[in-house]
Amino acid sequence: MRLTTLLTALMLPLLAAPAAAQGQFSPAITVNNTAISGYELDQRAKLLTLFRTPGNANDLAREQLIEEALKQEEMDRAGIRITAEQLAIEVEAFASRADLSPAQFTGILAQNGVAASTLEQFVKIGVTWRDFIRLRYASQAQVSDADIARSLSQQGGTGDALEVLLTEIIIPAPPPRAAQANAIASGIAETRSQTTFEAAARQYSALPSRNNGGRLNWLPLSNYPPALQGLISGLSVGEVTAPIQIPNGVALFQMRGIREVPQARPQPTSIDYAAMQFADLAAAQTAKLSVDTCDDLYGLAKGQPADALLRDDVAPAQISQGIALELAKLDRDEVSVTATGGGAGAQLVMLCGRTYGDGLTDPDALRASLQSQRLEQFAQALLAELRAAALIRS
């Protein structure tokens, strides 16, 4: 009997280890017919942490892997592939941006618990999707000489810019409530009634604007994330965007008006901003009243965890979409406070400043830039369609 007990005690860890490993590789999320494992989520979160990507690494990992599954399905339908040789070249180019060889780069990844295959998957999807979008939309993204002339005149401040009058809704969508939030958003997206949309904002939106039905004032279209500008400008009055996925939420915009204004301002080349996390909405609102500039937030962050305050000055495309949507509404030193995680916490976002470059004056460089912007708009619109039609379970 003692021998049996001893053998059982020795075997239990051996039996538990495979079970734990199996759980790690079992599906945590399914996107249509694609399974995403807990291991993949953990690996991507570690990779994003290593890259110092702004935002919650776990939430971003989930969103990125869901989007990549949708992209891969679409590329599989189109028969788009990348060879092992091409992938090796792209990984080498990726590592070279940090002045490292592929071996040195993967060595650093390994030291931080990230497998080389995780980086390869990250690079592969990005490169293949870029090529797929270029192939699919090349003819629609062509830039004419008239487009070049118009853009150059606007850079000189003599052209017209677009301003939009929108109504906004952001529905909290933490993972346990994501399916419900997306179902609500899909229903709202069908309406063209401003009254109905404003009622939905009052009922579902997590933003302070819900108190006035989500109605915003006139804002430059250039304030919004580059990936959304084409989507927004293409709306007719009363039309609503398809649900836009952001970390822990889903956003919707309804067009109330669009107009041209003189003295166009160029796109910002970088945005200086701060984002700070709070335990609840009341604490964030109190903090909002005590700060006049972004530098004041450093005093509030003393004694808090290192990741409580994010301060960054980056290109608009590098800002997470949820924060970018808040920054679009702000002028320098203005603050936005929103509930996060279904009301369990709050986030304060402050615009420290926007930097505007002199613009591109070389026609060839400008043509490439405009075409890249158009391709990105097509890519985001396609991804939004794929997501709206997808069956996502977690």
Side-chain angles (χ1 to χ4, degrees):
M1 186 172 181
R2 289 179 181 173
L3 180 59
T4 301
T5 303
L6 178 61
L7 288 172
T8 301
L10 291 171
M11 290 178 65
L12 278 174
L14 298 175
L15 293 170
Q22 184 178 8
Q24 186 182 23
F25 289 97
S26 61
I29 304 169
T30 57
V31 182
N32 295 330
N33 296 318
T34 302
I36 301 170
S37 69
Y39 172 78
E40 291 173 291
L41 289 167
D42 178 67
Q43 282 283 292
R44 179 57 62 87
K46 287 178 178 176
L47 184 69
L48 294 173
T49 300
L50 184 60
F51 289 168
R52 297 182 180 179
T53 306
N56 183 289
N58 291 323
D59 293 340
L60 290 172
R62 182 181 186 277
E63 292 305 307
Q64 284 189 3
L65 290 173
I66 288 174
E67 289 187 355
E68 288 177 11
L70 294 170
K71 291 175 180 179
Q72 189 62 65
E73 284 187 1
E74 187 68 10
M75 290 186 294
D76 286 344
R77 281 192 285 269
I80 303 297
R81 297 283 188 276
I82 184 172
T83 67
E85 292 78 10
Q86 289 171 323
L87 178 58
I89 292 171
E90 294 293 343
V91 169
E92 183 176 2
F94 194 91
S96 69
R97 296 173 198 166
D99 294 324
L100 296 170
S101 69
Q104 291 171 323
F105 198 86
T106 53
I108 293 172
L109 293 179
Q111 292 170 14
N112 289 272
V114 180
S117 59
T118 298
L119 174 66
E120 290 173 352
Q121 178 69 8
F122 179 80
V123 173
K124 183 184 77 170
I125 295 291
V127 170
T128 315
W129 179 252
R130 178 198 66 196
D131 293 344
F132 168 66
I133 293 297
R134 285 176 179 171
L135 182 65
R136 178 164 176 168
Y137 296 107
S139 61
Q140 296 168 261
Q142 292 298 315
V143 177
S144 68
D145 292 341
D147 294 329
I148 299 294
R150 187 181 306 111
S151 183
L152 287 171
S153 68
Q154 288 176 351
Q155 287 180 15
T158 60
D160 292 334
L162 290 178
E163 289 189 343
V164 289
L165 190 63
L166 301 176
T167 306
E168 65 175 0
I169 296 175
I170 290 186
I171 305 172
R177 294 172 48 195
Q180 180 186 11
N182 279 297
I184 293 170
S186 296
I188 297 171
E190 297 298 320
T191 186
R192 289 184 65 94
S193 164
Q194 293 185 19
T195 301
T196 300
F197 193 88
E198 289 173 16
R202 293 188 180 92
Q203 181 175 357
Y204 298 112
S205 185
L207 300 175
S209 61
R210 67 180 179 274
N211 295 325
N212 66 332
R215 295 168 69 91
L216 300 174
N217 294 323
W218 286 101
L219 289 169
L221 180 64
S222 61
N223 277 20
Y224 286 91
L228 294 184
Q229 291 177 20
L231 184 64
I232 291 172
S233 65
L235 297 175
S236 58
V237 173
E239 193 173 1
V240 178
T241 62
I244 301 165
Q245 301 299 321
I246 61 175
N248 282 323
V250 56
L252 295 153
F253 294 94
Q254 185 179 45
M255 178 67 76
R256 299 193 340 262
I258 186 167
R259 68 186 183 187
E260 290 186 347
V261 293
Q263 301 300 318
R265 185 168 59 176
Q267 296 276 353
T269 55
S270 68
I271 296 178
D272 182 6
Y273 74 97
M276 191 167 181
Q277 306 299 319
F278 291 87
D280 54 57
L281 199 57
Q285 293 285 10
T286 301
K288 176 180 178 179
L289 299 175
S290 66
V291 295
D292 296 315
T293 70
C294 287
D295 290 342
D296 295 336
L297 292 171
Y298 291 112
L300 294 178
K302 286 182 179 178
Q304 300 297 318
D307 60 352
L309 173 64
L310 168 67
R311 175 74 184 271
D312 218 341
D313 188 355
V314 295
Q318 294 179 257
I319 302 174
S320 70
Q321 198 144 271
I323 292 177
L325 291 175
E326 290 305 302
L327 292 172
K329 298 175 284 187
L330 304 178
D331 289 324
R332 184 184 179 91
D333 295 328
E334 286 189 337
V335 177
S336 167
V337 170
T338 56
T340 59
Q347 177 176 252
L348 180 152
V349 175
M350 190 170 192
L351 177 65
C352 313
R354 293 185 178 95
T355 300
Y356 297 91
D358 294 331
L360 296 169
T361 56
D362 176 63
D364 290 336
L366 183 55
R367 188 185 303 275
S369 176
L370 290 174
Q371 187 174 50
S372 178
Q373 290 176 26
R374 292 181 181 181
L375 288 171
E376 178 62 22
Q377 291 165 6
F378 282 121
Q380 291 298 327
L382 174 59
L383 189 58
E385 291 176 13
L386 295 175
R387 182 134 193 175
L391 177 60
I392 302 172
R393 299 183 298 272
S394 58

